[in-house]
């Protein structure tokens, strides 16, 4: 194995990337609504560039853009899309971890369980042929679907991450975060936690409700939660989320908090862009390549900016 994810986790926090689908939607390459990843075939250069930006800003694991890449969601044979997705991630970040993965399937809501399992195995097939370092099953609203993903992931001997798309109230099938954690641990996950839909503070609270022997993962959205509920329930979803965009400092603070509470796989989901990842990396004491361009406002041309920056530095240093 070129990238030993479990060994890295044992040493300390591992930083993931942000939300590729949302970022590529903003850039005009992905359609809001379906949010499917055909961009890997239609505009591979856009995907490659975004992966490179996440790597440049300190991500240690790059997620291949296989989200919603199952046959029922894509409406086509998924092999070509998933193969291209993994190749692009590997090309962008040859020395980093490349994660393959699984996502929710429309079939789960009306199909039988063996059909879902079959779709998930097919979703993984080309990814595994292409070669990934770990698998991430993410954004599951139902614990039962997450367990099917975990079952499908057992066809490979790779580290298994499963993150639920839940808040403190738990899954749609009625399981608390802690019950989700116990079940996913019992079914062979190495890393469990939450991703998407909730802001960093809520996501961290939910993650810490999980009492488990597994490593914890927390990959929240980059938007501020004010009125409660997952972001899909906000009036701003998905075309006015800019008004709720969290700053790079907010994401940096989140990364520090997550580390203090023992979360080992830290990252972001929708609304978390490369510049947020740089702040997260620096909050964890890292110096990614992009830190060469980190701000020094003492060099600003306007005196007030220089003075304010000096005052902020002093107050930050005060006890
Ligand atoms: Zn998301």
């Amino acid at each position: 194995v070129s990238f030993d994810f479990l060994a890295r986790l044992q040493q300390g926090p591992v930083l993931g990337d942000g939300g590729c689908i949302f970022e590529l939607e903003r850039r005009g390459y992905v359609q809001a609504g379906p949010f499917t990843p055909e961009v890997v075939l239609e505009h591979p250069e856009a995907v490659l560039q975004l992966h490179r930006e996440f790597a440049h800003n300190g991500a240690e694991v790059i997620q291949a853009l296989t989200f919603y890449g199952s046959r029922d969601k894509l409406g086509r044979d998924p092999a070509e899309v998933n193969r291209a997705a993994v190749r692009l991630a590997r090309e962008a970040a040859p020395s980093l971890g490349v994660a393959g993965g699984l996502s929710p399937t429309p079939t789960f809501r009306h199909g039988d369980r063996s059909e879902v399992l079959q779709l998930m195995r097919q979703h993984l097939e080309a990814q595994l042929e292409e070669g990934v370092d770990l698998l991430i099953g993410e954004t599951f609203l139902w614990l039962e679907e997450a367990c099917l993903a975990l079952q499908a992931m057992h066809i490979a001997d790779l580290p298994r991450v499963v993150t639920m798309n839940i808040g403190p109230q738990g899954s749609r099938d009625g399981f608390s975060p802690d019950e989700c954690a116990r079940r996913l641990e019992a079914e062979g996950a190495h890393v469990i936690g939450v991703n998407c839909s909730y802001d960093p503070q809520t996501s961290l609270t939910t993650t810490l409700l999980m009492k488990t022997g597994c490593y914890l993962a927390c990959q929240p959205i980059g938007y501020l939660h004010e009125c409660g509920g997952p972001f899909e329930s906000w009036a701003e979803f998905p075309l006015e989320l800019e008004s709720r965009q969290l700053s790079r400092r907010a994401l940096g603070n989140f990364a520090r908090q997550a580390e203090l509470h023992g979360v080992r796989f830290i990252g972001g989901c929708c609304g978390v862009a490369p510049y947020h990842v740089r702040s997260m990396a620096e909050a964890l004491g890292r110096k990614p390549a992009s830190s060469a361009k980190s701000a020094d406002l003492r060099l600003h041309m306007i005196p007030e900016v220089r003075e304010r920056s000096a005052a902020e530095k002093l107050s930050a240093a005060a006890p």
Side-chain angles (χ1 to χ4, degrees):
V1 191
S2 55
F3 180 90
D4 191 339
F5 183 56
L6 295 177
R8 295 286 191 103
L9 287 167
Q10 204 173 6
Q11 289 160 18
V14 175
L15 187 58
D17 57 9
C20 279
I21 287 279
F22 258 48
E23 187 58 28
L24 290 167
E25 190 280 329
R26 279 160 42 92
R27 297 182 185 189
Y29 298 108
V30 163
Q31 186 179 23
F35 288 114
T36 43
E38 294 86 347
V39 58
V40 297
L41 300 176
E42 294 165 355
H43 288 281
E45 75 290 352
V47 179
L48 196 59
Q49 175 63 21
L50 182 55
H51 285 325
R52 282 181 174 145
E53 288 176 27
F54 279 122
H56 180 66
N57 283 283
E60 299 168 88
V61 171
I62 298 297
Q63 277 184 254
L65 194 48
T66 63
F67 192 79
Y68 280 163
S70 59
R71 181 174 48 74
D72 57 340
K73 188 78 172 88
L74 286 177
R76 58 183 282 175
D77 184 309
E80 202 188 354
V81 165
N82 290 303
R83 189 179 306 285
V86 173
R87 281 190 186 164
L88 290 169
R90 186 68 77 191
E91 184 181 345
S95 63
L96 302 181
V98 169
L102 289 172
S103 46
T105 60
T107 300
F108 176 77
R109 307 205 185 179
H110 54 262
D112 70 49
R113 301 307 175 241
S114 63
E115 198 184 337
V116 174
L117 198 54
Q118 178 131 9
L119 282 163
M120 288 179 165
R121 286 184 176 141
Q122 186 190 27
H123 188 172
L124 287 177
E125 222 165 73
Q127 300 181 50
L128 294 172
E129 282 170 17
E130 206 54 45
V132 293
D133 303 308
L134 63 141
L135 294 173
I136 302 177
E138 60 177 355
T139 328
F140 296 109
L141 298 162
W142 281 268
L143 175 59
E144 197 193 341
E145 192 177 18
C147 289
L148 287 170
L150 203 39
Q151 211 180 316
M153 284 153 83
H154 272 89
I155 58 169
D157 183 22
L158 290 169
R160 293 178 286 275
V161 181
V162 178
T163 52
M164 301 292 298
N165 178 8
I166 59 173
Q169 78 285 354
S171 69
R172 290 214 183 181
D173 42 3
F175 296 96
S176 71
D178 193 39
E179 287 168 331
C180 291
R182 282 166 209 232
R183 177 84 185 278
L184 295 170
E185 180 173 0
E187 305 234 352
H190 298 99
V191 183
I192 60 182
V194 304
N195 79 293
C196 209
S197 293
Y198 297 89
D199 72 358
Q201 193 52 58
T202 308
S203 295
L204 187 55
T205 300
T206 308
T207 303
L208 298 178
L209 291 171
M210 296 177 159
K211 306 298 174 210
T212 171
C214 297
Y215 294 112
L216 288 173
C218 189
Q219 311 218 333
I221 58 173
Y223 304 109
L224 180 64
H225 170 96
E226 271 171 353
C227 55
F231 79 155
E232 294 91 343
S233 70
W234 305 349
E236 293 89 341
F237 180 88
L239 302 182
E240 290 185 75
L241 287 168
E242 292 85 350
S243 61
R244 288 172 176 265
Q245 180 70 63
L246 284 170
S247 70
R248 60 186 89 192
R249 274 191 182 163
L251 268 299
N253 289 338
F254 156 71
R256 198 173 298 113
Q257 285 300 313
E259 178 186 32
L260 283 173
H261 285 97
V263 176
R264 286 295 173 92
F265 190 29
I266 299 171
C269 202
C270 307
V272 174
Y275 72 101
H276 294 109
V277 171
R278 170 169 64 181
S279 287
M280 294 164 84
E282 290 178 347
L284 297 174
R286 321 262 166 93
K287 249 184 173 306
S290 64
S291 288
K293 301 291 182 187
S294 281
D296 187 349
L297 298 180
R298 293 168 305 180
L299 303 177
H300 200 276
M301 191 173 74
I302 309 286
E304 291 84 346
V305 175
R306 295 199 298 269
E307 283 154 21
R308 193 172 67 235
S309 151
E312 271 178 21
K313 280 216 156 71
L314 284 178
S315 67

